[in-house]
Amino acid sequence: MSAATTQQEWLERYSGALMNTFGPPQRVLVRGEGAYVWDADGNRYLDLLAGIAVNVLGHAHPAVVKAVSEQLGTLGHVSNFFATEPQVTLAERLLGLLGVDGKVFFTNSGTEANEAAFKLTRRTGRTRLVSATGSFHGRTMGALALTSKEAYRAPFEPLPGDVTFVPYGDVEALRAAVDETVAAVVLEPIQGEAGAVEPGAGYLAAAREITQQHGTLLWVDEVQSGVGRTGAWFAHTAEGIVPDVVTLAKGLGGGIPIGACIAVGDAADLLQPGNHGTTFGGNPVAAAAAHAVLDTLEDEDLLAHATATGERLRAGLADHPLVADTSGAGLLVGIGLRKPVAPQVQAAVLARGVVINAAAPDRLRLVPPLILTADQADEAVAVIRDVLDLHVPATTSTTSETEAPA
Ligand SMILES: *Cc1c(COP(=O)(O)O)cnc(C)c1O
């Protein structure tokens, strides 16, 4: 069986058979349980990446396994020529969690949720869009047009227009960019791919006020920050606002692909019959998985747990001499480093059995499953601190010692 095939051999076969879009994979994983994964050579890792903020209940959670197995054994896929109960109840449930009157379009991913929202904005009769620097909204052409990173965009121009980028967190720049020609402003409440970068208190509230003044839609991309990750069902509620559009994906299915474009109030009727579609979106298996995720988050009080565990991770790392700042909310955690060594830190931490992510040269991102225990958080902190120690120049401690008396 595969026991004879080593991880190195799998990686060679990978590069022979899969497009080289992601660079070399870090490991070949064969199994997961709770907050742990195992590689093809039998090594165990504590997983603080969770499939990029996806596996909110960790790996192989019994509630998700049961829901998916039962639904697949009952009715797996029907297309959107037919309705299913899990799809209808999930839409109602998401609107209830948001506390709004609205309507939902289901997709299979974050980028597709944003494509649906992008098309919805076109139906306002306006074509201009405003996005933020540092943003990430996905890799399909429409979502890419709203993503700021030049390296992602440049090879694929021309992208759909007409998008203006404003500095994230700068209220006056946003105010200056929005007028009656702007269909929508799209913002992440906390920028996930950038490394849990926050815009500052009051920014989303100001964005709501500015968009309202000009009849512009406020579209909040909660693909990464939504579904409990920040300790609230949706990160934008911390600012007390009601957006016109909310997009979700990553954590929603607990590992089963599902996304959602939720439109509030009048925006809910912008997309009309024939305007948009999907074959797989909102299929009953994915909807059942999402129900299992939401049930478990509720039953086990995992939102409050995410807040506490996130604070534990930040507090455990904040005082390390190499750490410049900690950011984010709940279990969307950013760790700013004083030196651009995040990729090396990621690799060394992995070699010691913990999965984390270098979101930028000087920024780590921790997006663990919401079931991460306090002990597991402490274990991860100890390993990360050990590795950070290696990057603190030997002179630092000597200097502070010699300078201390002065
Ligand atoms: C990951 C992400 C996306 C894209 O989601 P995919 O499922 O990878 O297409 C969009 N927006 C945000 C904020 C994300 O973090």
Side-chain angles (χ1 to χ4, degrees):
M1 286 194 286
S2 70
T5 308
T6 65
Q7 187 156 218
Q8 195 47 47
E9 287 163 343
W10 280 120
L11 288 172
E12 279 157 24
R13 286 169 64 176
Y14 175 100
S15 61
L18 285 116
M19 283 193 199
N20 186 23
T21 52
F22 301 102
Q26 297 173 47
R27 294 289 189 276
V28 179
L29 301 179
V30 293
R31 185 166 77 83
E33 191 182 327
Y36 294 98
V37 288
W38 285 261
D39 72 18
D41 293 337
N43 303 301
R44 189 184 81 161
Y45 303 87
L46 181 57
D47 184 7
L48 273 73
L49 182 58
I52 317 186
V54 165
N55 303 311
V56 286
L57 303 183
H59 298 272
H61 193 285
V64 177
V65 173
K66 181 167 180 280
V68 166
S69 312
E70 284 182 3
Q71 187 59 48
L72 191 58
T74 306
L75 185 66
H77 173 78
V78 296
S79 89
N80 284 294
F81 288 145
F82 299 91
T84 67
E85 291 173 18
Q87 163 204 49
V88 175
T89 52
L90 182 63
E92 290 170 347
R93 190 168 186 179
L94 291 175
L95 294 168
L97 289 175
L98 269 169
V100 298
D101 284 328
K103 288 187 182 154
V104 181
F105 181 90
F106 284 118
T107 68
N108 312 289
S109 66
T111 204
E112 287 171 85
N114 286 335
E115 290 295 328
F118 195 133
K119 286 181 72 176
L120 179 153
T121 69
R122 286 284 203 251
R123 302 295 299 149
T124 61
R126 304 179 185 181
T127 52
R128 289 191 55 215
L129 292 161
V130 171
S131 181
T133 56
S135 63
F136 183 82
H137 298 294
R139 301 289 209 134
T140 52
M141 293 298 269
L144 184 58
L146 299 164
T147 294
S148 79
K149 198 169 181 174
E150 196 50 32
Y152 292 171
R153 303 167 53 87
F156 303 102
E157 281 164 355
L159 294 164
D162 169 2
V163 183
T164 304
F165 289 92
V166 293
Y168 188 55
D170 183 337
V171 172
E172 290 320 309
L174 184 62
R175 198 182 301 282
V178 178
D179 61 23
E180 273 65 31
T181 66
V182 175
V185 171
V186 53
L187 295 169
E188 294 157 87
I190 298 172
Q191 291 183 334
E193 295 303 296
V197 173
E198 296 166 280
Y203 183 63
L204 275 191
R208 176 68 287 184
E209 179 219 310
I210 292 164
T211 48
Q212 218 138 33
Q213 277 167 8
H214 299 284
T216 297
L217 300 175
L218 178 60
W219 159 11
V220 176
D221 180 346
E222 294 247 22
V223 166
Q224 187 153 170
S225 56
V227 198
R229 173 144 303 275
T230 65
W233 286 112
F234 307 100
H236 71 263
T237 55
E239 292 261 312
I241 59 155
V242 180
D244 301 293
V245 179
V246 178
T247 47
L248 301 176
K250 290 194 168 85
L252 183 57
I256 299 296
I258 182 169
C261 170
I262 306 173
V264 179
D266 293 343
D269 297 319
L270 284 169
L271 286 174
Q272 286 294 310
N275 282 169
H276 199 42
T278 167
T279 299
F280 293 114
N283 73 78
V285 173
H291 274 299
V293 168
L294 298 177
D295 286 344
T296 308
L297 292 178
E298 281 171 2
D299 295 348
E300 299 182 7
D301 203 13
L302 287 173
L303 273 54
H305 181 71
T307 300
T309 315
E311 283 319 305
R312 197 174 183 98
L313 288 169
R314 285 185 197 84
L317 293 166
D319 68 342
H320 191 279
L322 198 68
V323 171
D325 70 275
T326 64
S327 65
L331 284 173
L332 179 49
V333 179
I335 308 290
L337 303 180
R338 294 187 198 282
K339 290 202 252 168
V341 292
Q344 295 97 300
V345 170
Q346 173 191 302
V349 167
L350 183 69
R352 288 162 201 235
V354 179
V355 182
I356 61 171
N357 172 248
D362 61 354
R363 212 157 181 88
L364 300 172
R365 172 178 51 161
L366 313 179
V367 280
L370 273 51
I371 55 154
L372 192 79
T373 65
D375 284 349
Q376 289 167 338
D378 293 348
E379 182 188 332
V381 164
V383 170
I384 295 167
R385 288 188 74 103
D386 275 353
V387 169
L388 292 179
D389 284 346
L390 304 174
H391 292 276
V392 178
T395 50
T396 304
S397 55
T398 327
T399 310
S400 59
E401 268 168 36
T402 51
E403 280 177 357

